[in-house]
Amino acid sequence: MTPLRAWSRSPMLQDAAPAAVLLAICVLVNAPNAIVGNTAGTPVAAGQDGQLALWWAATALAAGGVVLRRRWPLPMLVVCVLSAGVHVAQAAPLMIIDLSVLVLLYTVASRYAWVISLAALTCLLLVAAGWSLYGPLPGPSEVLSMGPGLGTPSGPKEVMRVHRQASADAWSGLSVLGSALVASWAIGSGARSRRAYLDELHAHARDLERERDQQAALAVAAERARISRELHDVVAHGLSLMVIQAQGGAAALDNTPADTRTALETIVTTGRNSLADMRHVLAAVGEVDDAWHPQPGLAHLPALLTQVNRAGTPVRLRVEGSPVTLPATMDLSAYRIVQEALTNTLKHAGTGAAASVVLTYHHAEIGIEISDNGRARTGDAGAGNTGAGNGLRGMRERVKLLGGTFTAGPKPRGGFTVRAALPIQGHAT
């Protein structure tokens, strides 16, 4: 923003326009020089110049009050009231420039609290009432001019009529001036209430926007964690099988080439399956097009156990109770828990270890237990009792999200056990 443009938007410059408009209309419509000169009732050399100078000085203060109304509302209101008081003290009628009092009262009502603005309105009404009721009555020359052409009042009745007329004019002027003051205060107070309401709406909108951004950030973090768990489960399991098969193939390369060929075929198959699973995980967030492939579940456990058996670790599956159809999320999580636990067995149990998988279907939950008889690994960061590894942490988070329980740790006589219990929705008592 250029300095000239910033200067043109300053409040003082913007308020100078209405002040100039009030002053110009007053000069064109009210003709203050003629009115004030006639009110003075004295020759120009004797007193009209002084009356006009005082009137214009008070008028300049009123215009300055309008210009500075946003910076100092209350002090400028006092200045405008004093300016109008000087005009009235000269026995001159109220003119267009005296509307500055209404402008400043509006500003005070729109900028200050209701109590302060109402106190200002009350003070102005009391000043107006005092001026209307106790102000100067018509002077001797005005009273004498009311007689029936004799230069003196016709009698007590005529004097009473003059006083009644003056009292009626005072009450009429008070009602008009009071109504104008109340209307100005009401408009300013309404503007303040509307501005406060709009500020509240804007604040609420900002709060909603901030809350939306926070929810979006939490959703992104949750989705990122979910994708991380899925990728870890898929990649870790596939790579573990491939490494074990490659080691076995290298060992059998010289003596039994057929076993090496079988190991290579298993590596190729496992790699393709892991790549396909990874594509399915990414497809869930729109990274690839193949998003309609079904996710693995407990029904795919036989194929998983076959892969582990081919890798050289015997695995048995036992199902207790009557199997039930699980929700898709729970079915996938149960499969991933078994897959990750068997991956840890392949990596840490050692040669000659065997594993077992037990699925127990109860009325309200399904129990999952994966155990092996391999070497003790309490100090293992990946599978130890501390649960510091990504595999155990991912399993624990899955179970926690589903409202289940999870335990993992070494067995007293060697080996490792992972247990999870997942509540079956719709079957809880």
Side-chain angles (χ1 to χ4, degrees), residues 32 34-42 51-52 54-55 58 82-95 98 131 135-142:
I35 293 178
V36 174
N38 292 333
T39 303
T42 58
Q51 292 277 31
L52 285 174
L54 182 60
W55 189 92
L82 292 177
S83 173
V86 171
H87 293 167
V88 172
Q90 292 180 297
L94 295 177
M95 301 185 191
D98 295 311
W131 169 73
L137 294 176
S141 61
E142 295 172 323

Side-chain angles (χ1 to χ4, degrees), residues 372-390:
D372 62 66
N373 58 358
R375 63 172 180 263
R377 47 188 191 271
T378 56
D380 245 337
N385 195 25
T386 60
N390 291 329

Side-chain angles (χ1 to χ4, degrees), residues 378-424:
T378 56
D380 245 337
N385 195 25
T386 60
N390 291 329
L392 289 180
R393 184 165 55 248
M395 287 187 281
R396 183 175 288 106
E397 289 178 358
R398 287 182 182 276
V399 174
K400 182 179 179 181
L401 289 176
L402 295 175
T405 58
F406 177 84
T407 58
K411 296 191 295 185
R413 297 183 180 180
F416 201 82
T417 301
V418 174
R419 293 186 180 90
L422 304 178
I424 301 176

Side-chain angles (χ1 to χ4, degrees), residues 98-321:
D98 295 311
L99 292 176
S100 59
V101 177
L102 301 181
V103 174
L104 265 296
L105 181 59
Y106 163 83
T107 304
V108 170
S110 63
R111 300 290 291 275
Y112 287 91
W114 182 80
V115 176
I116 297 177
S117 63
L118 187 59
L121 173 64
T122 303
C123 292
L124 289 179
L125 290 177
L126 292 176
V127 171
W131 169 73
S132 299
L133 297 178
Y134 303 105
L137 294 176
S141 61
E142 295 172 323
V143 174
L144 292 176
S145 66
M146 295 178 185
L150 297 176
T152 58
S154 59
K157 293 183 178 181
E158 183 65 20
V159 174
M160 293 297 297
R161 187 186 68 80
V162 172
H163 281 278
R164 283 197 300 268
Q165 182 66 33
S167 178
D169 291 342
W171 282 106
S172 177
L174 177 61
S175 63
V176 174
L177 184 57
S179 299
L181 292 173
V182 171
S184 177
W185 176 84
I187 295 173
S189 181
R192 180 179 181 275
S193 299
R194 182 176 181 274
R195 186 169 60 250
Y197 176 70
L198 292 178
D199 291 342
E200 184 179 354
L201 289 181
H202 291 159
H204 184 60
R206 288 192 297 269
D207 292 340
L208 290 178
E209 184 177 359
R210 190 182 305 110
E211 182 180 357
R212 182 199 62 191
D213 294 341
Q214 291 175 351
Q215 290 179 351
L218 291 176
V220 170
E223 184 66 12
R224 185 177 300 168
R226 185 191 69 81
I227 295 174
S228 177
R229 289 194 301 268
E230 290 290 324
L231 289 177
H232 176 271
D233 293 344
V234 170
V235 175
H237 177 74
L239 290 179
S240 297
L241 290 179
M242 293 168 66
V243 168
I244 292 175
Q245 291 292 338
Q247 290 175 344
L253 180 61
D254 297 330
N255 299 325
T256 55
D259 293 341
T260 302
R261 184 178 296 105
T262 302
L264 292 176
E265 292 175 355
T266 303
I267 291 174
V268 172
T269 302
T270 302
R272 288 176 177 175
N273 293 337
S274 298
L275 181 61
D277 289 340
M278 187 167 60
R279 288 176 57 86
H280 300 155
V281 172
L282 296 178
V285 290
E287 296 294 336
V288 294
D289 295 332
D290 187 13
W292 295 100
H293 192 280
Q295 294 291 334
L298 293 180
H300 297 79
L301 280 184
L304 175 65
L305 300 186
T306 299
Q307 291 181 344
V308 177
N309 284 322
R310 288 179 179 177
T313 301
V315 184
R316 296 177 302 164
L317 173 64
R318 185 171 80 252
V319 179
E320 299 178 356

Side-chain angles (χ1 to χ4, degrees), residues 331-412:
D331 199 22
L332 173 62
S333 297
Y335 176 85
R336 294 303 187 197
I337 291 171
V338 175
Q339 182 185 48
E340 180 58 30
L342 292 178
T343 300
N344 286 341
T345 297
L346 290 174
K347 292 192 295 184
H348 303 290
T351 306
S356 64
V357 178
V358 180
L359 301 179
T360 305
Y361 290 90
H362 299 289
H363 179 70
E365 68 177 16
I366 177 176
I368 305 171
E369 179 180 317
I370 306 97
S371 61
D372 62 66
N373 58 358
R375 63 172 180 263
R377 47 188 191 271
T378 56
D380 245 337
N385 195 25
T386 60
N390 291 329
L392 289 180
R393 184 165 55 248
M395 287 187 281
R396 183 175 288 106
E397 289 178 358
R398 287 182 182 276
V399 174
K400 182 179 179 181
L401 289 176
L402 295 175
T405 58
F406 177 84
T407 58
K411 296 191 295 185

